Amino acid sequence: DASGNTGSCTSVVTVQDVTQPVAKCKNIIANLGVNGTVTVAPASVNNGSTDNCSFNLTLLPATFNCGNIGVNTATLKATDAGGNSSTCTATVTVKDMTAPTASCKNPTIYLDDNGHATLTVAAMNNGSSDACGILSLSINNTAFDCSNISGVNYVTLTVKDLYNNTASCIGAVTV
């Protein structure tokens, strides 16, 4: 004061962040992997979310599988250090673009009394697989006769999955 006396005190100042982040989403396409799943990173659906401080993003659901093929809704949540959060929703279109695994045997087939033999898909297939399911298996040659006894007879096995992805392998058929 004017007489030169002084006084002081201590106070505690609490700084709070009361401003919610702004979550912004974009729609995406996610392709399943060979194991039939895909995990989508939150950043993939983030469309420029903001906050006055730092924040983190989470996505629910983030993992999709064969049962999710098609259009799905996922929620992006932005949460800041003050515990404030906001959400938005994104459309995650899940697709199966992965070819099946074609696996061939090299079968031996035997001619009948008339000199003919029929090759079946089962005789050619050696456990072909697809994470989301196989629609069909086919071979390009099923009928053999005496003219096929000498030499190697190559047959192609084609595997088609439920979403029209295909793969093939070649087996050597001994007659």
Tab-separated table of all heavy atoms in Angstrom, residues 60-133:
chain	number	residue	atom	x	y	z
A	60	LEU	N	-15.834	-48.031	-33.816
A	60	LEU	CA	-16.596	-49.218	-33.424
A	60	LEU	C	-17.734	-49.453	-34.390
A	60	LEU	O	-18.513	-48.536	-34.626
A	60	LEU	CB	-17.150	-49.064	-32.006
A	60	LEU	CG	-16.123	-49.165	-30.887
A	60	LEU	CD1	-16.779	-48.874	-29.556
A	60	LEU	CD2	-15.469	-50.530	-30.857
A	61	PRO	N	-17.890	-50.633	-34.954
A	61	PRO	CA	-16.866	-51.673	-34.915
A	61	PRO	C	-15.706	-51.310	-35.840
A	61	PRO	O	-15.861	-50.522	-36.759
A	61	PRO	CB	-17.600	-52.904	-35.424
A	61	PRO	CG	-18.648	-52.364	-36.341
A	61	PRO	CD	-19.058	-51.043	-35.739
A	62	ALA	N	-14.567	-51.918	-35.572
A	62	ALA	CA	-13.390	-51.676	-36.405
A	62	ALA	C	-13.000	-52.912	-37.209
A	62	ALA	O	-12.299	-52.807	-38.202
A	62	ALA	CB	-12.208	-51.232	-35.537
A	63	THR	N	-13.466	-54.083	-36.783
A	63	THR	CA	-13.125	-55.324	-37.477
A	63	THR	C	-14.382	-55.895	-38.123
A	63	THR	O	-15.439	-55.963	-37.509
A	63	THR	CB	-12.519	-56.343	-36.490
A	63	THR	OG1	-11.347	-55.761	-35.910
A	63	THR	CG2	-12.137	-57.629	-37.199
A	64	PHE	N	-14.222	-56.283	-39.381
A	64	PHE	CA	-15.327	-56.810	-40.172
A	64	PHE	C	-14.915	-58.158	-40.746
A	64	PHE	O	-13.731	-58.419	-40.951
A	64	PHE	CB	-15.690	-55.836	-41.299
A	64	PHE	CG	-16.083	-54.469	-40.784
A	64	PHE	CD1	-15.132	-53.487	-40.597
A	64	PHE	CD2	-17.403	-54.189	-40.483
A	64	PHE	CE1	-15.490	-52.229	-40.113
A	64	PHE	CE2	-17.769	-52.946	-40.000
A	64	PHE	CZ	-16.812	-51.958	-39.810
A	65	ASN	N	-15.925	-59.010	-41.029
A	65	ASN	CA	-15.637	-60.333	-41.580
A	65	ASN	C	-16.637	-60.666	-42.685
A	65	ASN	O	-17.418	-59.807	-43.101
A	65	ASN	CB	-15.634	-61.391	-40.470
A	65	ASN	CG	-16.960	-61.476	-39.751
A	65	ASN	OD1	-18.027	-61.319	-40.343
A	65	ASN	ND2	-16.909	-61.732	-38.448
A	66	CYS	N	-16.648	-61.919	-43.117
A	66	CYS	CA	-17.508	-62.348	-44.224
A	66	CYS	C	-18.983	-62.062	-43.956
A	66	CYS	O	-19.740	-61.770	-44.881
A	66	CYS	CB	-17.315	-63.841	-44.499
A	66	CYS	SG	-15.641	-64.280	-44.992
A	67	GLY	N	-19.389	-62.120	-42.703
A	67	GLY	CA	-20.768	-61.838	-42.350
A	67	GLY	C	-21.151	-60.378	-42.490
A	67	GLY	O	-22.329	-60.029	-42.413
A	68	ASN	N	-20.146	-59.511	-42.686
A	68	ASN	CA	-20.391	-58.071	-42.814
A	68	ASN	C	-20.316	-57.581	-44.253
A	68	ASN	O	-20.327	-56.364	-44.482
A	68	ASN	CB	-19.382	-57.286	-41.973
A	68	ASN	CG	-19.413	-57.644	-40.518
A	68	ASN	OD1	-18.455	-58.173	-39.992
A	68	ASN	ND2	-20.532	-57.390	-39.867
A	69	ILE	N	-20.224	-58.485	-45.225
A	69	ILE	CA	-20.117	-58.041	-46.613
A	69	ILE	C	-21.358	-57.222	-46.959
A	69	ILE	O	-22.480	-57.615	-46.687
A	69	ILE	CB	-19.924	-59.228	-47.567
A	69	ILE	CG1	-18.514	-59.797	-47.344
A	69	ILE	CG2	-20.131	-58.822	-49.021
A	69	ILE	CD1	-18.189	-61.013	-48.147
A	70	GLY	N	-21.099	-56.055	-47.527
A	70	GLY	CA	-22.165	-55.108	-47.833
A	70	GLY	C	-21.958	-53.819	-47.053
A	70	GLY	O	-20.850	-53.486	-46.648
A	71	VAL	N	-23.046	-53.101	-46.824
A	71	VAL	CA	-22.989	-51.792	-46.182
A	71	VAL	C	-23.130	-51.941	-44.670
A	71	VAL	O	-24.036	-52.612	-44.186
A	71	VAL	CB	-24.098	-50.874	-46.737
A	71	VAL	CG1	-24.113	-49.537	-46.039
A	71	VAL	CG2	-23.921	-50.691	-48.240
A	72	ASN	N	-22.201	-51.314	-43.930
A	72	ASN	CA	-22.188	-51.346	-42.474
A	72	ASN	C	-22.048	-49.927	-41.939
A	72	ASN	O	-21.431	-49.072	-42.586
A	72	ASN	CB	-20.996	-52.168	-41.956
A	72	ASN	CG	-21.035	-53.586	-42.447
A	72	ASN	OD1	-21.620	-54.439	-41.828
A	72	ASN	ND2	-20.415	-53.851	-43.593
A	73	THR	N	-22.558	-49.687	-40.754
A	73	THR	CA	-22.398	-48.393	-40.098
A	73	THR	C	-21.375	-48.548	-38.981
A	73	THR	O	-21.462	-49.472	-38.170
A	73	THR	CB	-23.732	-47.898	-39.522
A	73	THR	OG1	-24.667	-47.772	-40.591
A	73	THR	CG2	-23.575	-46.551	-38.846
A	74	ALA	N	-20.400	-47.644	-38.952
A	74	ALA	CA	-19.393	-47.630	-37.897
A	74	ALA	C	-19.397	-46.243	-37.263
A	74	ALA	O	-19.662	-45.243	-37.929
A	74	ALA	CB	-18.014	-47.955	-38.470
A	75	THR	N	-19.104	-46.192	-35.976
A	75	THR	CA	-19.095	-44.931	-35.237
A	75	THR	C	-17.669	-44.520	-34.912
A	75	THR	O	-16.927	-45.281	-34.273
A	75	THR	CB	-19.919	-45.061	-33.934
A	75	THR	OG1	-21.244	-45.441	-34.272
A	75	THR	CG2	-19.952	-43.749	-33.176
A	76	LEU	N	-17.300	-43.321	-35.361
A	76	LEU	CA	-15.998	-42.737	-35.049
A	76	LEU	C	-16.181	-41.843	-33.833
A	76	LEU	O	-17.075	-40.990	-33.812
A	76	LEU	CB	-15.474	-41.915	-36.230
A	76	LEU	CG	-14.119	-41.236	-36.028
A	76	LEU	CD1	-12.999	-42.275	-35.955
A	76	LEU	CD2	-13.853	-40.254	-37.159
A	77	LYS	N	-15.350	-42.051	-32.813
A	77	LYS	CA	-15.435	-41.250	-31.588
A	77	LYS	C	-14.124	-40.497	-31.397
A	77	LYS	O	-13.054	-41.100	-31.385
A	77	LYS	CB	-15.708	-42.145	-30.377
A	77	LYS	CG	-15.906	-41.389	-29.084
A	77	LYS	CD	-16.268	-42.355	-27.952
A	77	LYS	CE	-16.573	-41.619	-26.663
A	77	LYS	NZ	-16.924	-42.564	-25.582
A	78	ALA	N	-14.231	-39.171	-31.261
A	78	ALA	CA	-13.078	-38.318	-30.970
A	78	ALA	C	-13.151	-37.935	-29.494
A	78	ALA	O	-14.167	-37.406	-29.040
A	78	ALA	CB	-13.105	-37.077	-31.846
A	79	THR	N	-12.089	-38.241	-28.739
A	79	THR	CA	-12.048	-37.958	-27.310
A	79	THR	C	-10.795	-37.173	-26.995
A	79	THR	O	-9.693	-37.590	-27.372
A	79	THR	CB	-12.057	-39.266	-26.490
A	79	THR	OG1	-13.173	-40.064	-26.887
A	79	THR	CG2	-12.137	-38.990	-25.000
A	80	ASP	N	-10.958	-36.035	-26.281
A	80	ASP	CA	-9.776	-35.241	-25.928
A	80	ASP	C	-9.326	-35.567	-24.505
A	80	ASP	O	-9.966	-36.339	-23.782
A	80	ASP	CB	-10.027	-33.746	-26.132
A	80	ASP	CG	-11.070	-33.151	-25.207
A	80	ASP	OD1	-11.404	-33.767	-24.183
A	80	ASP	OD2	-11.539	-32.036	-25.523
A	81	ALA	N	-8.205	-34.966	-24.090
A	81	ALA	CA	-7.616	-35.245	-22.780
A	81	ALA	C	-8.537	-34.822	-21.641
A	81	ALA	O	-8.449	-35.354	-20.531
A	81	ALA	CB	-6.266	-34.551	-22.655
A	82	GLY	N	-9.436	-33.875	-21.883
A	82	GLY	CA	-10.370	-33.435	-20.857
A	82	GLY	C	-11.575	-34.345	-20.711
A	82	GLY	O	-12.465	-34.069	-19.905
A	83	GLY	N	-11.628	-35.411	-21.491
A	83	GLY	CA	-12.743	-36.340	-21.414
A	83	GLY	C	-13.933	-35.947	-22.268
A	83	GLY	O	-14.969	-36.589	-22.230
A	84	ASN	N	-13.803	-34.872	-23.029
A	84	ASN	CA	-14.871	-34.450	-23.930
A	84	ASN	C	-14.826	-35.332	-25.174
A	84	ASN	O	-13.754	-35.701	-25.633
A	84	ASN	CB	-14.680	-32.983	-24.332
A	84	ASN	CG	-14.618	-32.070	-23.132
A	84	ASN	OD1	-15.556	-32.007	-22.344
A	84	ASN	ND2	-13.501	-31.363	-22.974
A	85	SER	N	-15.995	-35.621	-25.708
A	85	SER	CA	-16.006	-36.448	-26.904
A	85	SER	C	-17.190	-36.095	-27.794
A	85	SER	O	-18.160	-35.479	-27.358
A	85	SER	CB	-16.066	-37.935	-26.538
A	85	SER	OG	-17.272	-38.231	-25.871
A	86	SER	N	-17.062	-36.489	-29.044
A	86	SER	CA	-18.170	-36.397	-29.998
A	86	SER	C	-18.031	-37.549	-30.973
A	86	SER	O	-16.960	-38.153	-31.094
A	86	SER	CB	-18.187	-35.049	-30.720
A	86	SER	OG	-17.110	-34.952	-31.621
A	87	THR	N	-19.112	-37.867	-31.652
A	87	THR	CA	-19.108	-38.997	-32.572
A	87	THR	C	-19.725	-38.605	-33.902
A	87	THR	O	-20.449	-37.610	-34.014
A	87	THR	CB	-19.910	-40.189	-31.998
A	87	THR	OG1	-21.264	-39.785	-31.802
A	87	THR	CG2	-19.329	-40.695	-30.704
A	88	CYS	N	-19.432	-39.407	-34.883
A	88	CYS	CA	-20.091	-39.329	-36.186
A	88	CYS	C	-20.167	-40.753	-36.717
A	88	CYS	O	-19.494	-41.644	-36.209
A	88	CYS	CB	-19.344	-38.401	-37.155
A	88	CYS	SG	-17.641	-38.891	-37.530
A	89	THR	N	-20.995	-40.970	-37.713
A	89	THR	CA	-21.102	-42.311	-38.281
A	89	THR	C	-20.608	-42.310	-39.725
A	89	THR	O	-20.776	-41.325	-40.448
A	89	THR	CB	-22.546	-42.844	-38.239
A	89	THR	OG1	-23.399	-41.936	-38.917
A	89	THR	CG2	-23.017	-43.028	-36.811
A	90	ALA	N	-20.006	-43.418	-40.081
A	90	ALA	CA	-19.492	-43.613	-41.437
A	90	ALA	C	-20.063	-44.903	-41.995
A	90	ALA	O	-20.362	-45.835	-41.249
A	90	ALA	CB	-17.965	-43.693	-41.425
A	91	THR	N	-20.197	-44.942	-43.284
A	91	THR	CA	-20.594	-46.167	-43.961
A	91	THR	C	-19.329	-46.891	-44.391
A	91	THR	O	-18.501	-46.332	-45.111
A	91	THR	CB	-21.472	-45.851	-45.187
A	91	THR	OG1	-22.661	-45.203	-44.736
A	91	THR	CG2	-21.836	-47.117	-45.935
A	92	VAL	N	-19.193	-48.122	-43.931
A	92	VAL	CA	-18.066	-48.973	-44.323
A	92	VAL	C	-18.648	-50.071	-45.207
A	92	VAL	O	-19.385	-50.931	-44.732
A	92	VAL	CB	-17.345	-49.568	-43.102
A	92	VAL	CG1	-16.213	-50.493	-43.546
A	92	VAL	CG2	-16.822	-48.465	-42.189
A	93	THR	N	-18.337	-49.999	-46.488
A	93	THR	CA	-18.807	-51.017	-47.424
A	93	THR	C	-17.738	-52.104	-47.505
A	93	THR	O	-16.627	-51.850	-47.965
A	93	THR	CB	-19.079	-50.405	-48.812
A	93	THR	OG1	-20.033	-49.346	-48.658
A	93	THR	CG2	-19.615	-51.444	-49.773
A	94	VAL	N	-18.080	-53.286	-47.030
A	94	VAL	CA	-17.135	-54.399	-46.971
A	94	VAL	C	-17.311	-55.255	-48.226
A	94	VAL	O	-18.425	-55.625	-48.588
A	94	VAL	CB	-17.358	-55.244	-45.701
A	94	VAL	CG1	-16.429	-56.451	-45.672
A	94	VAL	CG2	-17.158	-54.380	-44.455
A	95	LYS	N	-16.181	-55.543	-48.876
A	95	LYS	CA	-16.187	-56.361	-50.089
A	95	LYS	C	-15.207	-57.524	-49.953
A	95	LYS	O	-14.204	-57.421	-49.251
A	95	LYS	CB	-15.796	-55.516	-51.305
A	95	LYS	CG	-16.797	-54.445	-51.654
A	95	LYS	CD	-16.411	-53.740	-52.936
A	95	LYS	CE	-17.485	-52.748	-53.348
A	95	LYS	NZ	-17.178	-52.176	-54.667
A	96	ASP	N	-15.519	-58.605	-50.654
A	96	ASP	CA	-14.595	-59.732	-50.771
A	96	ASP	C	-14.015	-59.677	-52.173
A	96	ASP	O	-14.686	-60.016	-53.145
A	96	ASP	CB	-15.309	-61.057	-50.540
A	96	ASP	CG	-14.385	-62.265	-50.729
A	96	ASP	OD1	-13.160	-62.073	-50.889
A	96	ASP	OD2	-14.883	-63.399	-50.714
A	97	MET	N	-12.780	-59.236	-52.279
A	97	MET	CA	-12.094	-59.142	-53.561
A	97	MET	C	-10.932	-60.143	-53.638
A	97	MET	O	-10.150	-60.118	-54.573
A	97	MET	CB	-11.556	-57.722	-53.769
A	97	MET	CG	-12.619	-56.630	-53.673
A	97	MET	SD	-13.904	-56.744	-54.910
A	97	MET	CE	-13.009	-56.279	-56.371
A	98	THR	N	-10.838	-61.001	-52.632
A	98	THR	CA	-9.730	-61.950	-52.545
A	98	THR	C	-10.106	-63.266	-53.212
A	98	THR	O	-11.144	-63.861	-52.898
A	98	THR	CB	-9.361	-62.199	-51.074
A	98	THR	OG1	-9.046	-60.939	-50.468
A	98	THR	CG2	-8.180	-63.132	-50.947
A	99	ALA	N	-9.261	-63.708	-54.111
A	99	ALA	CA	-9.498	-64.973	-54.809
A	99	ALA	C	-9.388	-66.140	-53.838
A	99	ALA	O	-8.650	-66.085	-52.856
A	99	ALA	CB	-8.485	-65.140	-55.940
A	100	PRO	N	-10.129	-67.203	-54.105
A	100	PRO	CA	-9.990	-68.408	-53.286
A	100	PRO	C	-8.617	-69.041	-53.503
A	100	PRO	O	-7.860	-68.619	-54.383
A	100	PRO	CB	-11.104	-69.323	-53.802
A	100	PRO	CG	-11.493	-68.793	-55.127
A	100	PRO	CD	-11.104	-67.349	-55.169
A	101	THR	N	-8.312	-70.044	-52.718
A	101	THR	CA	-7.075	-70.807	-52.891
A	101	THR	C	-7.433	-72.104	-53.605
A	101	THR	O	-8.209	-72.915	-53.084
A	101	THR	CB	-6.428	-71.112	-51.528
A	101	THR	OG1	-6.138	-69.876	-50.885
A	101	THR	CG2	-5.153	-71.921	-51.694
A	102	ALA	N	-6.885	-72.271	-54.802
A	102	ALA	CA	-7.121	-73.491	-55.583
A	102	ALA	C	-5.959	-74.453	-55.339
A	102	ALA	O	-4.798	-74.058	-55.425
A	102	ALA	CB	-7.229	-73.158	-57.062
A	103	SER	N	-6.299	-75.684	-55.027
A	103	SER	CA	-5.274	-76.694	-54.756
A	103	SER	C	-5.636	-77.983	-55.496
A	103	SER	O	-6.731	-78.520	-55.315
A	103	SER	CB	-5.190	-76.945	-53.253
A	103	SER	OG	-4.190	-77.892	-52.970
A	104	CYS	N	-4.718	-78.440	-56.339
A	104	CYS	CA	-4.977	-79.611	-57.192
A	104	CYS	C	-4.205	-80.849	-56.746
A	104	CYS	O	-3.091	-80.758	-56.246
A	104	CYS	CB	-4.552	-79.311	-58.630
A	104	CYS	SG	-5.649	-78.232	-59.530
A	105	LYS	N	-4.832	-81.997	-57.000
A	105	LYS	CA	-4.166	-83.289	-56.893
A	105	LYS	C	-3.677	-83.665	-58.288
A	105	LYS	O	-4.095	-83.070	-59.276
A	105	LYS	CB	-5.150	-84.363	-56.434
A	105	LYS	CG	-5.641	-84.236	-55.030
A	105	LYS	CD	-6.623	-85.371	-54.729
A	105	LYS	CE	-7.281	-85.210	-53.387
A	105	LYS	NZ	-8.317	-86.248	-53.175
A	106	ASN	N	-2.847	-84.677	-58.350
A	106	ASN	CA	-2.420	-85.282	-59.616
A	106	ASN	C	-2.957	-86.713	-59.637
A	106	ASN	O	-2.240	-87.662	-59.341
A	106	ASN	CB	-0.892	-85.270	-59.742
A	106	ASN	CG	-0.346	-83.862	-59.810
A	106	ASN	OD1	-0.868	-83.023	-60.525
A	106	ASN	ND2	0.706	-83.594	-59.042
A	107	PRO	N	-4.226	-86.869	-59.979
A	107	PRO	CA	-4.861	-88.184	-59.829
A	107	PRO	C	-4.498	-89.180	-60.940
A	107	PRO	O	-4.078	-88.803	-62.028
A	107	PRO	CB	-6.350	-87.851	-59.899
A	107	PRO	CG	-6.405	-86.659	-60.794
A	107	PRO	CD	-5.161	-85.859	-60.468
A	108	THR	N	-4.704	-90.425	-60.603
A	108	THR	CA	-4.624	-91.513	-61.576
A	108	THR	C	-6.037	-92.064	-61.724
A	108	THR	O	-6.701	-92.358	-60.732
A	108	THR	CB	-3.681	-92.629	-61.093
A	108	THR	OG1	-2.364	-92.072	-60.945
A	108	THR	CG2	-3.638	-93.784	-62.080
A	109	ILE	N	-6.476	-92.167	-62.986
A	109	ILE	CA	-7.802	-92.742	-63.242
A	109	ILE	C	-7.637	-93.958	-64.150
A	109	ILE	O	-6.638	-94.075	-64.872
A	109	ILE	CB	-8.785	-91.706	-63.845
A	109	ILE	CG1	-8.267	-91.141	-65.174
A	109	ILE	CG2	-9.062	-90.589	-62.850
A	109	ILE	CD1	-9.269	-90.233	-65.880
A	110	TYR	N	-8.621	-94.849	-64.116
A	110	TYR	CA	-8.511	-96.113	-64.836
A	110	TYR	C	-9.645	-96.246	-65.846
A	110	TYR	O	-10.798	-95.925	-65.545
A	110	TYR	CB	-8.534	-97.282	-63.848
A	110	TYR	CG	-7.394	-97.190	-62.878
A	110	TYR	CD1	-7.548	-96.547	-61.650
A	110	TYR	CD2	-6.140	-97.712	-63.200
A	110	TYR	CE1	-6.490	-96.434	-60.764
A	110	TYR	CE2	-5.075	-97.600	-62.322
A	110	TYR	CZ	-5.252	-96.958	-61.100
A	110	TYR	OH	-4.195	-96.856	-60.239
A	111	LEU	N	-9.299	-96.737	-67.032
A	111	LEU	CA	-10.290	-96.956	-68.086
A	111	LEU	C	-11.187	-98.132	-67.716
A	111	LEU	O	-10.737	-99.117	-67.115
A	111	LEU	CB	-9.593	-97.234	-69.416
A	111	LEU	CG	-8.679	-96.119	-69.956
A	111	LEU	CD1	-7.984	-96.586	-71.234
A	111	LEU	CD2	-9.464	-94.850	-70.199
A	112	ASP	N	-12.445	-98.025	-68.127
A	112	ASP	CA	-13.378	-99.127	-67.904
A	112	ASP	C	-13.261	-100.143	-69.041
A	112	ASP	O	-12.394	-100.016	-69.920
A	112	ASP	CB	-14.815	-98.611	-67.728
A	112	ASP	CG	-15.352	-97.906	-68.976
A	112	ASP	OD1	-14.770	-98.054	-70.079
A	112	ASP	OD2	-16.378	-97.201	-68.845
A	113	ASP	N	-14.142	-101.125	-69.056
A	113	ASP	CA	-14.113	-102.188	-70.076
A	113	ASP	C	-14.335	-101.645	-71.479
A	113	ASP	O	-13.969	-102.300	-72.460
A	113	ASP	CB	-15.177	-103.249	-69.776
A	113	ASP	CG	-14.858	-104.033	-68.515
A	113	ASP	OD1	-13.693	-103.997	-68.063
A	113	ASP	OD2	-15.784	-104.673	-67.977
A	114	ASN	N	-14.920	-100.469	-71.600
A	114	ASN	CA	-15.170	-99.860	-72.910
A	114	ASN	C	-14.070	-98.872	-73.307
A	114	ASN	O	-14.178	-98.205	-74.324
A	114	ASN	CB	-16.518	-99.137	-72.903
A	114	ASN	CG	-17.665	-100.087	-72.701
A	114	ASN	OD1	-17.671	-101.184	-73.256
A	114	ASN	ND2	-18.637	-99.684	-71.897
A	115	GLY	N	-13.025	-98.731	-72.468
A	115	GLY	CA	-11.923	-97.831	-72.789
A	115	GLY	C	-12.199	-96.379	-72.451
A	115	GLY	O	-11.581	-95.486	-73.035
A	116	HIS	N	-13.091	-96.146	-71.494
A	116	HIS	CA	-13.429	-94.772	-71.103
A	116	HIS	C	-13.246	-94.589	-69.598
A	116	HIS	O	-13.406	-95.544	-68.825
A	116	HIS	CB	-14.892	-94.449	-71.456
A	116	HIS	CG	-15.167	-94.540	-72.929
A	116	HIS	ND1	-14.808	-93.558	-73.806
A	116	HIS	CD2	-15.764	-95.513	-73.672
A	116	HIS	CE1	-15.170	-93.907	-75.027
A	116	HIS	NE2	-15.748	-95.106	-74.978
A	117	ALA	N	-12.928	-93.357	-69.221
A	117	ALA	CA	-12.817	-93.013	-67.799
A	117	ALA	C	-13.346	-91.604	-67.599
A	117	ALA	O	-13.209	-90.747	-68.482
A	117	ALA	CB	-11.373	-93.092	-67.333
A	118	THR	N	-13.946	-91.389	-66.445
A	118	THR	CA	-14.474	-90.058	-66.117
A	118	THR	C	-13.723	-89.511	-64.913
A	118	THR	O	-13.592	-90.183	-63.886
A	118	THR	CB	-15.981	-90.144	-65.790
A	118	THR	OG1	-16.666	-90.677	-66.925
A	118	THR	CG2	-16.549	-88.772	-65.459
A	119	LEU	N	-13.245	-88.303	-65.067
A	119	LEU	CA	-12.549	-87.603	-63.977
A	119	LEU	C	-13.564	-86.741	-63.239
A	119	LEU	O	-14.331	-86.007	-63.865
A	119	LEU	CB	-11.423	-86.727	-64.537
A	119	LEU	CG	-10.639	-85.900	-63.519
A	119	LEU	CD1	-9.844	-86.814	-62.586
A	119	LEU	CD2	-9.706	-84.932	-64.246
A	120	THR	N	-13.554	-86.815	-61.929
A	120	THR	CA	-14.468	-85.993	-61.122
A	120	THR	C	-13.711	-84.820	-60.496
A	120	THR	O	-12.488	-84.849	-60.351
A	120	THR	CB	-15.106	-86.813	-59.985
A	120	THR	OG1	-14.072	-87.230	-59.085
A	120	THR	CG2	-15.847	-88.027	-60.529
A	121	VAL	N	-14.483	-83.824	-60.126
A	121	VAL	CA	-13.904	-82.668	-59.427
A	121	VAL	C	-13.260	-83.130	-58.127
A	121	VAL	O	-12.168	-82.689	-57.767
A	121	VAL	CB	-14.982	-81.592	-59.170
A	121	VAL	CG1	-14.474	-80.528	-58.225
A	121	VAL	CG2	-15.440	-80.968	-60.480
A	122	ALA	N	-13.923	-84.038	-57.429
A	122	ALA	CA	-13.396	-84.533	-56.154
A	122	ALA	C	-12.032	-85.186	-56.320
A	122	ALA	O	-11.173	-85.082	-55.436
A	122	ALA	CB	-14.382	-85.514	-55.533
A	123	ALA	N	-11.808	-85.858	-57.449
A	123	ALA	CA	-10.513	-86.494	-57.692
A	123	ALA	C	-9.422	-85.459	-57.939
A	123	ALA	O	-8.246	-85.726	-57.689
A	123	ALA	CB	-10.622	-87.447	-58.878
A	124	MET	N	-9.788	-84.281	-58.425
A	124	MET	CA	-8.822	-83.210	-58.727
A	124	MET	C	-8.592	-82.267	-57.543
A	124	MET	O	-7.509	-81.723	-57.366
A	124	MET	CB	-9.307	-82.361	-59.910
A	124	MET	CG	-9.080	-82.968	-61.267
A	124	MET	SD	-7.329	-83.091	-61.709
A	124	MET	CE	-6.830	-81.389	-61.681
A	125	ASN	N	-9.622	-82.062	-56.748
A	125	ASN	CA	-9.551	-81.062	-55.680
A	125	ASN	C	-8.733	-81.584	-54.501
A	125	ASN	O	-8.945	-82.686	-54.022
A	125	ASN	CB	-10.960	-80.691	-55.211
A	125	ASN	CG	-10.948	-79.588	-54.190
A	125	ASN	OD1	-10.066	-78.733	-54.172
A	125	ASN	ND2	-11.946	-79.577	-53.316
A	126	ASN	N	-7.814	-80.745	-54.036
A	126	ASN	CA	-6.945	-81.121	-52.919
A	126	ASN	C	-7.140	-80.150	-51.752
A	126	ASN	O	-6.190	-79.639	-51.197
A	126	ASN	CB	-5.485	-81.145	-53.369
A	126	ASN	CG	-4.594	-81.851	-52.374
A	126	ASN	OD1	-5.052	-82.717	-51.629
A	126	ASN	ND2	-3.323	-81.479	-52.347
A	127	GLY	N	-8.401	-79.858	-51.427
A	127	GLY	CA	-8.674	-78.980	-50.289
A	127	GLY	C	-8.713	-77.503	-50.630
A	127	GLY	O	-8.330	-76.670	-49.810
A	128	SER	N	-9.166	-77.172	-51.818
A	128	SER	CA	-9.306	-75.758	-52.182
A	128	SER	C	-10.175	-75.061	-51.137
A	128	SER	O	-11.064	-75.674	-50.547
A	128	SER	CB	-9.946	-75.627	-53.566
A	128	SER	OG	-9.130	-76.244	-54.541
A	129	SER	N	-9.914	-73.769	-50.913
A	129	SER	CA	-10.628	-73.085	-49.843
A	129	SER	C	-10.845	-71.610	-50.141
A	129	SER	O	-10.205	-71.031	-51.017
A	129	SER	CB	-9.853	-73.232	-48.532
A	129	SER	OG	-8.580	-72.602	-48.661
A	130	ASP	N	-11.757	-71.039	-49.383
A	130	ASP	CA	-12.008	-69.606	-49.418
A	130	ASP	C	-12.594	-69.223	-48.063
A	130	ASP	O	-13.459	-69.927	-47.538
A	130	ASP	CB	-12.986	-69.240	-50.537
A	130	ASP	CG	-13.170	-67.743	-50.655
A	130	ASP	OD1	-12.320	-67.099	-51.307
A	130	ASP	OD2	-14.139	-67.210	-50.092
A	131	ALA	N	-12.144	-68.121	-47.509
A	131	ALA	CA	-12.595	-67.707	-46.177
A	131	ALA	C	-14.094	-67.455	-46.119
A	131	ALA	O	-14.726	-67.692	-45.093
A	131	ALA	CB	-11.830	-66.459	-45.739
A	132	CYS	N	-14.671	-66.992	-47.208
A	132	CYS	CA	-16.099	-66.657	-47.204
A	132	CYS	C	-16.970	-67.708	-47.888
A	132	CYS	O	-18.180	-67.521	-47.999
A	132	CYS	CB	-16.319	-65.298	-47.869
A	132	CYS	SG	-15.604	-63.928	-46.936
A	133	GLY	N	-16.380	-68.778	-48.355
A	133	GLY	CA	-17.164	-69.866	-48.933
A	133	GLY	C	-16.975	-70.038	-50.421
A	133	GLY	O	-16.771	-69.081	-51.154
